[in-house]
Amino acid sequence: MCVISEEAINQFGVLMEQVDEVLKTTFQNVHQGCPRDVYLRFLTAREGNVANAHKMLVDSLTWRVQNEIDDILAKPILPTELCRAIRDSQLIGMPGYTREGLPIFAFGAGLSTFDKASVHYYVQSHIQINEYRDRVVMPAASKKYGKPINKSVKVLDMTGLKLSALNQIKLLTIISSIDDLNYPEKVVAYYIVNAPYIFSACWKVVKPLLQERTRKKVQVLSGCGQDDLLKIMDYSSLPHFCRREGSGSSKYSGSLNENCYSLDHPFHQQLYDYIKQQALIRRPVRPVKQGSVHVDFPDAVTEGTEFVQTLASEFQKFEKQNGLAQSLDDLNINDHRS
């Protein structure tokens, strides 16, 4: 794992002083008063190469300006029923914090269907959560815990994972590339829980494709992962699908306040209220327009997109092999009967 030198950070800072004022303005929303953290993250993503990290950050800032990302938290998804449908099909939530103060984000990777709205709505929702995390959640956590909080933890629930779950491969690669190119190194650990055999089998093939720093972040936990996760977080911060063996990530298990995916969960209520309030502040006279935000999709191949595409390919191979094996078993049974 590369070590980022102070000289590299200082060189990066000098280069950023030379960008135009428009990019400097959006950069303020990115660094939230801590530009050094951004330099470190982008340098890490580019293995310490200052020129490559600078290009990556300038490209990201340009993407933000061209797609008005600074204003995306003032663009609510309307009507509310549509927002609720997106929450029920794009399973993301924030159940709490680790004992160190890091926000915990939960993902229902196996049961998300992404079938209630257009790709643009799901991308808009994803970016809004990213921006709310970086501009609201982390600054508030930094103040509460008395130290800089600029990274998070992700818990991925694989309940229900099968080949059909990867039908939305295009959307998954878009989201992965947006995160890789514009929000690099924001996660310190990925915890995978409720992993079925098919994931474990494919993981052996996919794991070597990841860079070493990413591989070290990923931990596949036993069962629902409760025992391991309780070492870093309180029970009240556990995602609902980790609270008992076999619970899975059922969208409607327990109360709505416990289900961190639900629009009725406190995190999503606060996020949605914040976006609606920002919309009124920005446009107090004209009614807020309905319709999705159209964001330019990156076409670059990133570590995340390669991971998703390879995982999908391995799933297909696995299911074909299993299908062939099942067909042979059925043939043998029929031969015995005859």
Side-chain angles (χ1 to χ4, degrees):
M1 188 173 183
C2 72
V3 177
I4 308 302
S5 68
E6 284 298 320
E7 182 182 2
I9 295 171
N10 292 334
Q11 289 176 358
F12 203 162
V14 170
L15 290 174
M16 288 306 296
E17 290 175 3
Q18 300 170 19
V19 303
D20 63 47
E21 291 301 320
V22 174
L23 296 188
K24 285 181 180 178
T25 299
T26 193
F27 186 44
Q28 291 175 358
N29 266 332
V30 174
H31 68 61
Q32 293 291 312
C34 300
R36 176 187 170 84
D37 166 63
V38 180
Y39 301 152
L40 278 170
R41 291 194 295 105
F42 278 76
L43 282 166
T44 301
R46 289 296 177 262
E47 302 297 329
N49 186 300
V50 176
N52 291 346
H54 176 252
K55 182 183 184 304
M56 181 186 183
L57 180 53
V58 169
D59 287 347
S60 176
L61 298 177
T62 302
W63 171 80
R64 293 181 66 88
V65 171
Q66 292 175 344
N67 294 280
E68 300 181 346
I69 301 300
D70 288 347
D71 295 329
I72 202 166
L73 288 180
K75 298 176 180 178
I77 294 175
L78 297 172
T80 304
E81 289 74 16
L82 175 60
C83 187
R84 184 176 297 279
I86 290 171
R87 288 280 58 80
D88 288 344
S89 53
Q90 182 185 33
L91 303 182
I92 304 174
M94 188 188 138
Y97 299 83
T98 68
R99 294 194 186 96
E100 294 183 350
L102 303 183
I104 302 162
F105 285 89
F107 292 81
L111 293 178
S112 291
T113 56
F114 302 105
D115 60 352
K116 303 299 182 185
S118 70
V119 169
H120 293 286
Y121 274 117
Y122 287 112
V123 171
Q124 175 183 347
S125 170
H126 181 80
I127 294 174
Q128 285 178 329
I129 291 175
N130 280 356
E131 291 292 312
Y132 186 73
R133 173 199 66 195
D134 294 350
R135 291 196 240 167
V136 179
V137 173
M138 288 180 173
S142 299
K143 185 176 181 179
K144 177 180 178 181
Y145 289 90
K147 61 181 180 180
I149 302 290
N150 44 46
K151 298 198 177 187
S152 62
V153 164
K154 289 187 178 181
V155 184
L156 287 75
D157 179 23
M158 296 296 173
T159 298
L161 187 67
K162 49 190 175 183
L163 182 59
S164 59
L166 294 174
N167 284 342
Q168 297 292 342
I169 186 71
K170 178 183 176 182
L171 175 58
L172 294 173
T173 54
I174 288 170
I175 288 175
S176 294
S177 60
I178 286 174
D179 283 354
D180 287 347
L181 296 174
N182 302 287
Y183 306 93
E185 301 298 317
K186 294 295 293 187
V187 181
V188 296
Y190 298 88
Y191 297 103
I192 296 174
V193 302
N194 296 320
Y197 174 74
I198 185 173
F199 175 84
S200 301
C202 295
W203 174 243
K204 295 176 183 178
V205 176
V206 175
K207 186 177 179 180
L209 295 175
L210 299 175
Q211 296 179 21
E212 182 183 3
R213 70 172 189 277
T214 304
R215 286 200 303 270
K216 288 181 177 180
K217 295 179 184 178
V218 180
Q219 296 186 45
V220 181
L221 305 183
S222 175
C224 70
Q226 182 178 124
D227 292 342
D228 291 301
L229 292 174
L230 284 176
K231 295 174 183 177
I232 64 166
M233 66 185 72
D234 294 334
Y235 185 85
S236 60
S237 290
L238 279 176
H240 59 280
F241 51 80
C242 295
R243 296 195 175 188
R244 61 183 181 279
E245 288 291 344
S247 61
S249 62
S250 170
K251 301 175 210 176
Y252 305 106
S253 64
S255 72
L256 293 176
N257 281 345
E258 290 178 353
N259 181 357
C260 64
Y261 301 146
S262 170
L263 184 60
D264 297 304
H265 186 272
F267 168 74
H268 283 300
Q269 282 292 298
Q270 291 162 12
L271 168 59
Y272 199 47
D273 288 345
Y274 180 88
I275 294 174
K276 289 188 290 185
Q277 289 168 6
Q278 292 299 307
L280 292 175
I281 293 171
R282 300 287 180 90
R283 293 179 289 273
V285 178
R286 291 174 295 171
V288 178
K289 292 182 180 180
Q290 296 187 21
S292 63
V293 174
H294 285 226
V295 173
D296 293 337
F297 301 151
D299 55 9
V301 176
T302 67
E303 183 183 31
T305 61
E306 188 176 8
F307 173 81
V308 171
Q309 291 167 355
T310 305
L311 184 61
S313 174
E314 290 303 314
F315 266 47
Q316 290 173 336
K317 292 178 185 177
F318 186 87
E319 291 214 340
K320 284 180 181 178
Q321 291 170 356
N322 275 14
L324 177 61
Q326 184 62 52
S327 298
L328 291 174
D329 287 344
D330 292 342
L331 183 61
N332 288 333
I333 291 172
N334 291 331
D335 285 345
H336 286 305
R337 286 176 178 171
S338 60

